Amino acid sequence: KAGVTQTPRYLIKTRGQQVTLSCSPISGHRSVSWYQQTPGQGLQFLFEYFSETQRNKGNFPGRFSGRQFSNSRSEMNVSTLELGDSALYLCASSLNVASGHGYTFGSGTRLTVV
Amino acid sequence: KNEVEQSPQNLTAQEGEFITINCSYSVGISALHWLQQHPGGGIVSLFMLSSGKKKHGRLIATINIQEKHSSLHITASHPRDSAVYICAVRSYNTDKLIFGTGTRLQVFP
């Protein structure tokens, strides 16, 4: 069965631009979560969605937003990009948000802001 | 102080050695995850624990809820085990995942 698909894999943007990243979960998985990974801060939680509803949000500014569609696919958007937004953005899907289910991660989108 | 601490930060081993990576946390949790990240970024979920012990092949994960501590053991280590191992806990209060900084493991033949 297909894994978690993230597109694009690599992206270069200029400061001030905005970017949209996409995540397609494993078929049947209804929970999608997003993470940012940087050398300085490590992995940090961004958001979690379940059945099109944002369940939880990490400590990131309002420039970071996301949504989930009825087919469970999710997008995240970063507006007014800053150099510090350069990172690997990972999404993970899970059957549901209950603690009894693990995560399957995508390969990530590597965003470089210049 | 980080809410999730891992030790050691770096670990080198010879092929065949028994390896232990430790994770201590300071928050109440509903689950603890062990993740493996290879160069290039892909992350694989190894274990999810809320109590006791789990085993998968040469990997064993244990958790002691009272002591707020978990260990990941690799028996008969192999160069393909070289990766960063990350501990993450799901906070009971906030329901958010909190990550440790990872343990970089290198296994030499």
Coordinates of all heavy atoms in Angstrom, one line a residue, chain A residues 35 37 43-45 48 55-59 88 90 97 99-103 105-106 110, chain B residues 30-31 33 35 37 40-45 48 86 90 94-101:
Chain A
Y35 N 5.3 18.6 11.1 CA 6.5 18.9 11.9 C 7.5 19.7 11.2 O 7.7 19.5 10.0 CB 7.1 17.6 12.4 CG 6.1 16.7 13.1 CD1 5.4 15.8 12.3 CD2 5.8 16.8 14.4 CE1 4.4 15.0 12.9 CE2 4.8 16.0 15.0 CZ 4.2 15.1 14.2 OH 3.2 14.3 14.8
Q37 N 11.7 20.5 11.1 CA 12.9 20.0 11.7 C 14.1 20.9 11.2 O 14.3 21.1 10.0 CB 13.3 18.6 11.2 CG 14.5 18.0 11.9 CD 14.8 16.6 11.6 OE1 14.5 16.1 10.4 NE2 15.3 15.8 12.5
L43 N 13.2 18.6 16.0 CA 11.9 18.4 15.5 C 10.9 19.1 16.4 O 11.0 19.0 17.6 CB 11.5 16.9 15.5 CG 11.8 16.1 14.3 CD1 11.7 14.6 14.6 CD2 10.8 16.4 13.2
Q44 N 10.0 19.9 15.8 CA 9.0 20.6 16.5 C 7.6 20.3 15.9 O 7.5 20.3 14.7 CB 9.3 22.1 16.5 CG 10.5 22.4 17.3 CD 10.8 23.9 17.4 OE1 11.2 24.5 16.4 NE2 10.4 24.5 18.5
F45 N 6.6 20.2 16.7 CA 5.2 19.9 16.3 C 4.6 21.2 15.8 O 4.7 22.3 16.4 CB 4.5 19.4 17.5 CG 3.0 19.4 17.3 CD1 2.4 18.5 16.5 CD2 2.2 20.3 17.9 CE1 1.0 18.4 16.3 CE2 0.8 20.3 17.8 CZ 0.2 19.4 17.0
E48 N -1.9 19.4 14.1 CA -2.5 18.0 13.9 C -4.0 18.2 13.4 O -4.7 19.0 14.0 CB -2.5 17.2 15.2 CG -3.0 15.8 15.1 CD -2.8 15.0 16.4 OE1 -3.1 15.5 17.5 OE2 -2.2 13.9 16.3
R55 N -6.9 19.8 15.5 CA -7.1 19.3 16.9 C -6.1 20.0 17.8 O -6.3 20.2 19.0 CB -6.8 17.8 17.0 CG -7.8 16.9 16.5 CD -7.5 15.5 16.9 NE -7.7 15.3 18.4 CZ -6.7 15.1 19.2 NH1 -5.4 15.2 18.8 NH2 -6.9 14.9 20.5
N56 N -4.9 20.4 17.2 CA -3.9 20.9 18.1 C -2.9 21.7 17.2 O -2.8 21.5 16.0 CB -3.1 19.7 18.7 CG -2.8 19.9 20.1 OD1 -2.6 21.0 20.5 ND2 -2.7 18.8 20.9
K57 N -2.3 22.7 17.9 CA -1.3 23.5 17.2 C -0.1 23.8 18.0 O -0.2 24.0 19.3 CB -2.0 24.9 16.9 CG -1.3 25.8 16.0 CD -2.1 27.1 15.7 CE -1.5 27.9 14.5 NZ -0.1 28.3 14.7
G58 N 1.0 23.8 17.4 CA 2.3 24.0 18.1 C 2.5 25.5 18.3 O 1.7 26.3 17.9
N59 N 3.7 25.8 18.9 CA 4.0 27.2 19.2 C 4.7 27.9 18.0 O 5.9 28.2 18.1 CB 4.9 27.3 20.4 CG 4.2 26.8 21.7 OD1 2.9 26.9 21.8 ND2 4.9 26.1 22.5
L88 N 13.3 21.2 7.1 CA 12.7 20.0 6.6 C 11.3 20.0 7.2 O 11.2 20.0 8.4 CB 13.5 18.8 6.9 CG 12.9 17.4 6.4 CD1 12.9 17.3 4.9 CD2 13.7 16.2 7.0
L90 N 8.0 17.8 7.7 CA 7.6 16.4 7.6 C 6.1 16.3 8.0 O 5.6 17.0 8.9 CB 8.4 15.6 8.6 CG 9.8 15.4 8.3 CD1 10.7 15.2 9.5 CD2 10.0 14.2 7.4
V97 N -6.4 9.7 16.1 CA -5.6 10.5 17.0 C -5.4 9.8 18.4 O -4.6 10.2 19.2 CB -6.1 11.9 17.3 CG1 -6.2 12.7 16.0 CG2 -7.5 11.8 17.9
S99 N -4.0 7.4 21.2 CA -2.6 7.1 21.5 C -2.2 5.7 21.1 O -1.0 5.4 21.0 CB -2.3 7.3 23.0 OG -2.5 8.7 23.4
G100 N -3.1 4.9 20.9 CA -2.8 3.5 20.6 C -2.3 3.3 19.2 O -2.0 2.2 18.8
H101 N -2.2 4.3 18.4 CA -1.8 4.1 17.0 C -0.6 4.9 16.7 O -0.4 6.1 17.1 CB -2.9 4.5 16.0 CG -4.2 3.7 16.2 ND1 -5.1 4.0 17.1 CD2 -4.5 2.6 15.5 CE1 -6.1 3.0 17.0 NE2 -5.7 2.2 16.1
G102 N 0.4 4.3 16.0 CA 1.6 5.0 15.7 C 1.5 5.8 14.4 O 0.4 6.0 13.8
Y103 N 2.6 6.4 14.0 CA 2.6 7.3 12.9 C 3.4 6.7 11.7 O 4.3 5.9 11.9 CB 3.3 8.6 13.3 CG 2.7 9.3 14.4 CD1 3.0 9.1 15.7 CD2 1.7 10.3 14.1 CE1 2.4 9.8 16.7 CE2 1.0 11.0 15.1 CZ 1.4 10.7 16.4 OH 0.8 11.4 17.4
F105 N 5.5 8.3 8.6 CA 6.0 9.6 8.1 C 6.3 9.6 6.6 O 6.6 8.6 6.0 CB 7.3 9.9 8.8 CG 7.2 10.4 10.3 CD1 7.0 9.4 11.3 CD2 7.2 11.7 10.6 CE1 6.9 9.8 12.6 CE2 7.1 12.1 11.9 CZ 6.9 11.2 12.9
G106 N 6.1 10.8 6.1 CA 6.5 11.1 4.7 C 8.0 11.4 4.6 O 8.6 11.4 5.7
R110 N 12.0 19.7 1.7 CA 13.1 20.5 2.2 C 12.9 21.9 1.6 O 13.0 22.1 0.4 CB 14.4 19.9 1.8 CG 15.6 20.6 2.5 CD 16.9 19.8 2.4 NE 16.9 18.6 3.1 CZ 17.1 18.4 4.5 NH1 17.3 19.5 5.2 NH2 17.1 17.3 5.0
Chain B
S30 N 0.8 10.2 27.6 CA -0.1 9.2 27.2 C 0.6 8.1 26.3 O 0.1 7.0 26.2 CB -1.3 9.8 26.4 OG -0.9 10.6 25.4
A31 N 1.7 8.4 25.7 CA 2.4 7.5 24.9 C 3.9 8.0 24.7 O 4.1 9.2 24.7 CB 1.8 7.2 23.5
H33 N 7.1 7.4 21.9 CA 7.5 6.9 20.5 C 9.0 6.9 20.4 O 9.7 7.8 20.9 CB 6.9 7.8 19.4 CG 5.5 7.9 19.4 ND1 4.7 7.2 18.5 CD2 4.6 8.6 20.2 CE1 3.4 7.5 18.8 NE2 3.3 8.3 19.7
L35 N 11.7 6.8 17.2 CA 11.7 7.0 15.8 C 13.2 6.8 15.3 O 14.1 7.0 16.1 CB 11.3 8.4 15.5 CG 9.9 8.9 16.1 CD1 9.7 10.4 15.8 CD2 8.8 8.1 15.5
Q37 N 15.7 8.0 12.1 CA 15.9 8.9 11.0 C 17.2 8.6 10.3 O 18.3 8.8 10.9 CB 15.8 10.3 11.4 CG 15.8 11.3 10.2 CD 15.5 12.7 10.6 OE1 15.8 13.2 11.7 NE2 14.8 13.5 9.7
G40 N 19.3 11.9 4.9 CA 18.3 12.2 3.8 C 17.0 12.6 4.4 O 16.1 13.2 3.7
G41 N 16.7 12.2 5.7 CA 15.6 12.8 6.4 C 14.4 11.9 6.7 O 13.7 12.1 7.6
G42 N 14.3 10.8 6.0 CA 13.1 9.9 6.2 C 13.1 9.4 7.6 O 14.1 8.9 8.2
I43 N 11.9 9.4 8.2 CA 11.7 9.0 9.6 C 10.8 7.7 9.6 O 9.8 7.7 8.9 CB 11.0 10.0 10.4 CG1 12.0 11.2 10.7 CG2 10.6 9.5 11.8 CD1 11.5 12.3 11.5
V44 N 11.2 6.7 10.4 CA 10.5 5.5 10.5 C 10.1 5.4 12.0 O 10.9 5.6 12.9 CB 11.3 4.3 10.1 CG1 10.6 3.0 10.4 CG2 11.7 4.3 8.6
S45 N 8.8 5.1 12.2 CA 8.3 4.9 13.6 C 8.7 3.5 14.0 O 8.3 2.5 13.3 CB 6.8 5.1 13.6 OG 6.3 4.9 14.9
M48 N 5.7 2.4 19.6 CA 4.9 3.3 20.4 C 4.6 2.5 21.7 O 4.1 1.4 21.6 CB 3.6 3.7 19.7 CG 2.8 4.6 20.5 SD 1.3 5.0 19.6 CE 0.6 3.4 19.5
I86 N 15.3 9.0 17.7 CA 14.6 10.1 18.4 C 13.5 9.6 19.3 O 12.7 8.7 18.9 CB 14.0 11.0 17.3 CG1 15.1 11.6 16.4 CG2 13.3 12.2 18.0 CD1 14.6 12.3 15.2
R90 N 4.0 12.0 23.9 CA 2.7 12.7 23.7 C 2.3 13.2 25.1 O 2.0 12.3 25.9 CB 1.7 11.8 23.1 CG 0.5 12.6 22.6 CD -0.4 11.7 21.6 NE -1.4 12.5 21.0 CZ -1.4 12.9 19.7 NH1 -0.5 12.6 18.9 NH2 -2.4 13.6 19.3
T94 N -1.3 18.4 27.1 CA -1.5 19.3 25.9 C -1.8 18.4 24.7 O -2.2 18.9 23.6 CB -0.2 20.1 25.6 OG1 0.8 19.2 25.2 CG2 0.2 20.9 26.8
D95 N -1.6 17.1 24.8 CA -1.8 16.2 23.6 C -0.9 16.5 22.5 O -1.2 16.1 21.3 CB -3.3 16.2 23.2 CG -3.7 14.9 22.6 OD1 -3.2 13.9 22.9 OD2 -4.7 14.9 21.7
K96 N 0.2 17.1 22.7 CA 1.2 17.4 21.7 C 2.4 16.5 21.8 O 2.8 16.1 22.9 CB 1.7 18.9 21.8 CG 0.6 19.9 21.6 CD 1.1 21.3 21.8 CE 0.0 22.3 21.7 NZ 0.4 23.7 21.9
L97 N 3.0 16.2 20.6 CA 4.3 15.5 20.6 C 5.4 16.4 21.0 O 5.6 17.5 20.4 CB 4.5 14.8 19.3 CG 4.0 13.4 19.0 CD1 4.5 13.0 17.7 CD2 4.4 12.5 20.1
I98 N 6.3 15.9 21.9 CA 7.5 16.7 22.3 C 8.6 15.8 22.0 O 8.6 14.6 22.4 CB 7.5 17.0 23.8 CG1 6.2 17.7 24.2 CG2 8.7 17.9 24.1 CD1 5.9 17.9 25.7
F99 N 9.6 16.3 21.3 CA 10.7 15.5 20.8 C 12.0 15.7 21.6 O 12.3 16.8 22.0 CB 11.0 15.8 19.3 CG 9.9 15.5 18.4 CD1 8.9 16.4 18.1 CD2 9.8 14.2 17.8 CE1 7.8 16.1 17.3 CE2 8.8 13.9 16.9 CZ 7.8 14.9 16.7
G100 N 12.8 14.6 21.7 CA 14.1 14.7 22.2 C 15.0 15.2 21.1 O 14.6 15.2 19.9
T101 N 16.3 15.4 21.4 CA 17.2 16.0 20.4 C 17.8 14.9 19.6 O 18.5 15.2 18.6 CB 18.3 16.8 21.0 OG1 18.9 16.1 22.1 CG2 17.7 18.1 21.6

